[in-house]
Amino acid sequence: MKFVVKLFPEIIIKSKPVRRKFIKQLRDNLRKLLLPIDDAIQVERDWDRITVTSDADSELLPDIVAVLSNTPGIAHIEEVADYPFDDLHDIYEKTRAAVGDSLEGKRFAVRCKRTGTHDFNSSEVERYVGGGLNQHTGAAGVDLSKPEVVVRIEVRGDRLFVVRRRYEGLGGFPIGSVDSVMSLISGGFDSTVSSYLTMKRGLRTHFVFFNLGGREHEIGVKEVALYLWLKYGASHRVKFVSVPFEDVVAEILKNVENSQMGVILKRMMLRAASQVAEAMEAPALVTGESVAQVSSQTLANLSVIDSVTNTLVLRPLITMDKQDIIHTAAKIGTEEFAANMPEYCGVISVKPTTRAKPEKIAAQEANFDFAILEQAVANAEYLNIDELADEDRSLPEVEVLPIPLAEAVILDVRHPNEVDRHPLKLANGEVQSLPFYELHQRFEQLDQSRTYQLYCDKGVMSRLHAAHLVEQGFTNVKVYRPS
C-alpha cells in the first residue's frame, strides 16, 4: 500500500523555513501514530507531499486511512499504485491495469500532473491514456466537463503514480507546529466542537474541567476528552485537569445576588483556568461560547467576564449558529456524547443579567471568599489523558484479562464508527456492541446473571467504565484486553 499525503494549502504558502518545519512536524506526527499499526511502515517527506508506504496486509488499510484522515495538516490522501514506466504506451497499460475495471459503464476523464523531463507533456498523456481507456475498457465514454469518474495520474521523473482512491483530510496545521492552549470543556456540543477546532488548527489542546459536584458528569467529560484526543490529537500527550468547584458554587449561591451568579461563575472559572494555563505554560484559553447563545454570552457579559484575566481567550464558535455546531459535533463523532452527557447545574439564575455592570459585579464579588477559589485551584488534579483510568485512584480496581472468559459476553463499548471500521471478531465468545455513552443508562437492563468483559481499542475507555460500573455496585464486570 502506498499513499501520497497532500499538504493543507496554507502550509504550502508559508516561507521556506516555516514550511519545512510544518512538513517535518506532520511527518513526525504520522510516524508516531502509524507505527503502532505497522511497525515497518515508512513515512517520508518531500517538499510538497508526504509519502506513506506499508507492506502490511490490506486488512490494515482502514486503520491507516483513519489515521491519515483524522490527522491535522492534511488536505487529502491519495491511495496510489506506484510503477516505473518506459514510455507513453507503458503509462496507458499500467493505468488500465490499476483502474480500468472501475470505469465499467461510467463516463470518465483523465487528469495528469507531470514533473521532470519527458518527451511528452501532460495534455498528451491525458489524450493518449484517455483514448486507450475509452477503446479498451467497458467505459461509457469520455466526458471532460462532468465526468462520473476522474482518472488521476502523476508522472514524477521515471515513476508513475495512479490514484486508486482519494480520501479527504482534516486540513489545518500539524499539532505541535503552533502553541498549546487550555480548553474549558464541559462535555456538551459547544466545548467539544471548540476543542476539536483548536486541535485541527495545530494547537496542542489540554483540557480543564470544572467539577460542580457531579461524579457522573466528570466521568462523561473524561470520556469525550479522551475520544477527541485519541481521534484527532494523539500525536502529542496532553493533560486533563479536573478542578473541584463544589465549594466555589456553594459560596456563589450563598453570597451573590441571583441575577449576577452566572457571570460571576464564569469569571471564577476564567480566573482558575488562567492559573492552570500558566502552570501548563499554555498562552491561551479556549471556550465554546457563541454570541448571545445564552444570557452570559452577550457582548457586554463576555467583556466583563474577560476582564478578570490577562490570558488570551479564544472562542472558535463565536459567530456559529447552534445548528451548525450540532452538525459539526455529528461530523466529528461527539454528538452522541453531548446528547447523553449527565449534567449538573449548580448555578441557575431566575432572571440572569444580560448587561453586567463592572461596578455591580465587583460589589458582589466583594462578598466572595477568594480563599475558596485558591483552594480549588490548589486541589486541581492533573492527569495525563492517556492514563485516565490508571491514574484515577478514586476508582476501584477491575480485573483485566487477555482472553474471553467462558460464558462471558464481550461488550464492545467503542464508538459505532470505530466498530464499523474494525469489527471485533472472536473465534469463540459472544460479542455485543453497546457504545460507552449509553453504557450506564442501559447496563442494568442487561442480563445480570452474565459476566460482561468491556472492550475498546486502547483499553483505557473500557477500564474507566468498568471501574465506574463496579463503583455503582455491579459485580459482574471485567475488562477484555487482548495482549
Side-chain angles (χ1 to χ4, degrees):
M1 292 179 285
K2 175 166 275 190
F3 304 88
V4 174
V5 175
K6 298 292 187 175
L7 307 174
F8 181 54
E10 287 187 42
I11 297 175
I12 296 173
I13 64 174
K14 298 289 184 186
S15 65
K16 287 184 178 180
V18 175
R19 177 174 175 174
R20 190 177 295 112
K21 170 191 169 185
F22 277 42
I23 296 172
K24 180 179 182 299
Q25 184 68 67
L26 179 57
R27 180 205 62 188
D28 293 348
N29 291 354
L30 289 176
R31 280 180 176 170
K32 183 173 183 179
L33 295 169
L34 290 170
L35 282 174
I37 299 174
D38 174 10
D39 59 8
I41 202 164
Q42 299 178 41
V43 184
E44 300 173 345
R45 66 182 169 118
D46 203 340
W47 182 240
D48 63 345
R49 66 180 61 203
I50 289 175
T51 304
V52 177
T53 307
S54 172
D55 294 326
D57 192 276
S58 60
E59 70 179 18
L60 293 180
L61 173 65
D63 297 318
I64 295 173
V65 170
V67 167
L68 296 175
S69 299
N70 293 318
T71 299
I74 296 173
H76 63 267
I77 308 101
E78 295 173 344
E79 181 189 347
V80 300
D82 176 13
Y83 307 102
F85 71 92
D86 297 322
D87 52 25
L88 199 55
H89 186 73
D90 196 26
I91 291 175
Y92 152 69
E93 291 281 3
K94 286 170 177 172
T95 302
R96 186 181 69 174
V99 299
D101 292 344
S102 67
L103 303 180
E104 186 71 30
K106 303 290 181 61
R107 301 184 67 80
F108 74 97
V110 177
R111 302 283 186 261
C112 175
K113 292 183 178 180
R114 187 183 62 85
T115 303
T117 302
H118 307 94
D119 58 2
F120 51 79
N121 59 37
S122 297
S123 296
E124 290 171 333
V125 174
E126 292 172 354
R127 288 195 296 270
Y128 192 94
V129 174
L133 293 175
N134 192 36
Q135 294 179 49
H136 300 291
T137 69
V142 174
D143 187 339
L144 299 180
S145 58
K146 294 182 179 180
E148 296 174 82
V149 177
V150 176
V151 177
R152 301 183 188 276
I153 59 179
E154 185 169 355
V155 179
R156 292 175 66 91
D158 60 353
R159 306 297 297 184
L160 168 68
F161 299 92
V162 182
V163 178
R164 286 181 166 145
R165 279 180 288 272
R166 172 175 163 142
Y167 309 91
E168 292 304 311
L170 283 186
F173 295 143
I175 291 180
S177 60
V178 288
D179 292 316
S180 298
V181 294
M182 181 65 62
S183 180
L184 282 67
I185 188 165
S186 66
F189 293 103
D190 302 338
S191 64
T192 55
V193 172
S194 62
S195 299
Y196 157 76
L197 290 175
T198 56
M199 296 164 78
K200 175 183 173 183
R201 196 61 180 171
L203 294 159
R204 184 180 181 185
T205 303
H206 302 278
F207 302 94
V208 58
F209 166 66
F210 293 97
N211 192 341
L212 306 183
R215 174 67 169 158
E216 296 281 342
H217 191 187
E218 182 179 28
I219 293 292
V221 175
K222 284 181 176 178
E223 292 169 355
V224 73
L226 182 62
Y227 169 84
L228 284 168
W229 177 76
L230 285 171
K231 189 163 186 178
Y232 303 110
S235 59
H236 289 70
R237 173 177 278 181
V238 300
K239 294 285 188 181
F240 182 94
V241 184
S242 183
V243 183
F245 241 49
E246 300 97 323
D247 292 342
V248 174
V249 169
E251 182 71 5
I252 290 174
L253 291 171
K254 178 181 176 182
N255 294 311
V256 173
E257 182 183 314
N258 185 280
S259 64
Q260 311 298 311
M261 290 194 303
V263 170
I264 289 179
L265 176 62
K266 289 291 184 69
R267 282 163 62 93
M268 296 300 171
M269 288 180 173
L270 272 198
R271 287 184 173 106
S274 296
Q275 293 184 52
V276 172
E278 183 178 5
M280 294 290 299
E281 299 183 349
L285 303 175
V286 179
T287 75
E289 289 152 326
S290 177
V291 169
Q293 187 177 116
V294 296
S295 61
S296 65
Q297 296 174 18
T298 63
L299 292 182
N301 285 356
L302 290 175
S303 178
V304 171
I305 291 168
D306 282 1
S307 67
V308 300
T309 181
N310 291 322
T311 307
L312 176 65
V313 180
L314 304 177
R315 293 185 169 92
L317 313 183
I318 196 66
T319 62
M320 288 182 67
D321 297 333
K322 188 67 175 184
Q323 197 56 51
D324 293 334
I325 296 170
I326 293 173
H327 285 160
T328 304
K331 176 183 174 183
I332 66 175
T334 61
E335 181 184 26
E336 295 92 342
F337 290 91
N340 290 277
M341 185 65 62
E343 295 207 21
Y344 179 87
C345 300
V347 173
I348 302 176
S349 298
V350 177
K351 293 183 178 180
T353 181
T354 58
R355 304 189 70 82
K357 304 296 183 184
E359 60 277 8
K360 186 168 184 177
I361 293 294
Q364 290 294 308
E365 288 186 347
N367 300 322
F368 185 91
D369 183 359
F370 278 88
I372 294 174
L373 179 65
E374 293 304 316
Q375 190 61 49
V377 175
N379 291 340
E381 185 176 25
Y382 292 71
L383 301 173
N384 290 325
I385 196 166
D386 56 328
E387 299 173 354
L388 285 179
D390 295 330
E391 295 192 17
D392 194 339
R393 298 178 179 86
S394 63
L395 291 176
E397 291 292 326
V398 178
E399 188 174 7
V400 179
L401 300 172
I403 58 173
L405 293 173
E407 305 302 323
V409 176
I410 304 300
L411 213 54
D412 191 336
V413 300
R414 294 175 296 165
H415 192 283
N417 291 345
E418 300 299 312
V419 176
D420 291 342
R421 181 172 62 82
H422 199 63
L424 176 63
K425 298 178 181 179
L426 299 177
N428 297 299
E430 180 182 349
V431 178
Q432 294 182 22
S433 179
L434 182 57
F436 52 85
Y437 49 78
E438 296 179 358
L439 181 63
H440 298 284
Q441 295 177 7
R442 293 174 50 190
F443 187 81
E444 65 181 358
Q445 301 170 13
L446 302 178
D447 182 356
Q448 296 302 312
S449 67
R450 307 286 300 273
T451 296
Y452 295 91
Q453 291 178 257
L454 274 55
Y455 167 81
C456 70
D457 286 329
K458 303 290 185 180
V460 178
M461 198 85 75
S462 55
R463 292 199 303 275
L464 185 66
H465 282 279
H468 188 44
L469 287 170
V470 170
E471 185 182 52
Q472 291 179 316
F474 294 99
T475 59
N476 57 338
V477 183
K478 302 181 187 299
V479 171
Y480 171 52
R481 178 63 173 151
S483 56

